[in-house]
């Protein structure tokens, strides 16, 4: 009786090589995001530089609050598209409810949508509100004869606290009410979008 060798007894199994799940880098999207960030930042910076130095403290404060608010709202939209259930919007689209098709497109491109909302709009608003805060500190220190260094520190800290606190609240709201947030945003935005 022939004794089988180890190799004959336990033949090697044909192991399939795992299919690579790596996706190609979308360079066109990176270019679009970079150019968008540049243009939006340019417009926001221009508006901030033109209005705040020539405005009183109330108008300057209102502009800063507006920038903080825009950053928080877009942060909420960016989070909402990543957690929203597309089935809800599919059923809405079959009933031809306004904004449903746009919502589906945003959810299908959730990574790009969240990147634009959180990174582009959110970060730009944070940077602009910070620089606007420095301009407001200068206005207050001159009009109220406060120390410029202390005033700048206080205003910068307040802006940071409002931004972080607002975004923390916004994230919680976005997680719980993602469908409602996207629906409202898309309903308004669809007015400016061409029907295909």
């Amino acid at each position: 009786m022939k004794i089988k060798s180890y190799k004959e007894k336990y033949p090697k199994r044909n192991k399939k090589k795992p299919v690579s799940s790596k996706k190609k880098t979308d360079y066109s999207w990176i270019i679009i995001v970079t150019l968008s960030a540049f243009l939006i930042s340019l417009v926001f910076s221009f508006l901030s530089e033109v209005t705040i130095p020539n405005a009183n403290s109330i108008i300057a404060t209102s502009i800063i609050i507006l920038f903080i608010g825009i950053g928080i709202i877009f942060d909420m939209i960016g989070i909402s598209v990543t957690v929203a259930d597309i089935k809800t919007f599919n059923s809405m689209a079959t009933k031809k409810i306004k904004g449903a098709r746009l919502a589906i497109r945003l959810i299908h491109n959730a990574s790009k949508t969240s990147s634009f909302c959180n990174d582009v709009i959110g970060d730009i608003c944070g940077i602009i509100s910070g620089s606007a805060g420095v301009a407001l500190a200068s206005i207050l220190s001159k009009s109220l004869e406060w120390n410029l260094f202390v005033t700048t520190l206080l205003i910068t800290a307040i802006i940071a606290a409002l931004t972080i606190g607002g975004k923390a609240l916004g994230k919680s709201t976005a997680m719980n009410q993602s469908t409602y947030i996207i629906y409202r945003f898309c309903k308004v935005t669809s007015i400016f979008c061409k029907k295909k």
Side-chain angles (χ1 to χ4, degrees):
M1 185 180 174
K2 191 181 176 182
I3 298 168
K4 288 184 179 179
S5 66
Y6 181 82
K7 286 181 180 180
E8 288 174 328
K9 219 173 186 182
Y10 304 102
K12 284 184 180 179
R13 293 178 181 177
N14 293 328
K15 291 182 179 179
K16 291 181 180 179
K17 290 182 180 180
V19 179
S20 179
S21 60
K22 289 181 181 179
K23 292 181 179 179
K24 290 180 180 179
T25 306
D26 192 350
Y27 291 106
S28 60
W29 170 247
I30 293 166
I31 292 165
I32 290 166
V33 166
T34 306
L35 289 173
S36 299
F38 174 77
L39 292 171
I40 294 165
S41 182
L42 195 68
V43 171
F44 280 14
S45 296
F46 176 77
L47 292 171
S48 175
E49 290 297 320
V50 168
T51 54
I52 291 176
N54 302 316
N56 58 37
S57 57
I58 295 167
I59 293 169
T61 304
S62 301
I63 292 165
I64 291 166
I65 291 167
L66 177 66
F67 279 125
I68 293 168
I70 290 168
I72 292 166
I73 289 164
F74 274 88
D75 196 64
M76 287 170 68
I77 294 161
I79 292 161
S80 295
V81 293
T82 59
V83 296
D85 185 10
I86 200 167
K87 291 176 185 176
T88 307
F89 292 103
N90 282 330
S91 63
M92 286 169 73
T94 57
K95 295 171 186 175
K96 295 182 180 180
I97 295 171
K98 195 173 185 178
R101 290 191 181 279
L102 177 60
I104 291 165
R105 285 207 303 271
L106 293 179
I107 295 166
H108 272 305
N109 298 288
S111 60
K112 290 180 180 179
T113 306
S114 62
S115 175
F116 183 80
C117 292
N118 297 89
D119 301 331
V120 178
I121 305 293
D123 289 354
I124 287 169
C125 285
I127 293 162
I128 301 299
S129 61
S131 61
V134 174
L136 176 62
S138 180
I139 293 165
L140 289 173
S141 64
K142 285 176 184 176
S143 61
L144 301 173
E145 295 182 355
W146 291 352
N147 182 281
L148 180 60
F149 178 73
V150 175
T151 308
T152 305
L153 282 179
L154 284 170
I155 289 172
T156 305
I158 290 166
I159 289 168
L162 288 172
T163 303
I164 294 164
K167 285 190 176 184
L169 179 64
K171 279 185 173 76
S172 177
T173 307
M175 295 292 286
N176 297 320
Q177 298 181 34
S178 58
T179 304
Y180 177 79
I181 290 164
I182 295 170
Y183 170 66
R184 286 293 173 192
F185 173 72
C186 291
K187 192 177 180 181
V188 174
T189 311
S190 62
I191 297 166
F192 307 99
C193 294
K194 290 180 181 179
K195 288 183 181 180
K196 290 186 177 181

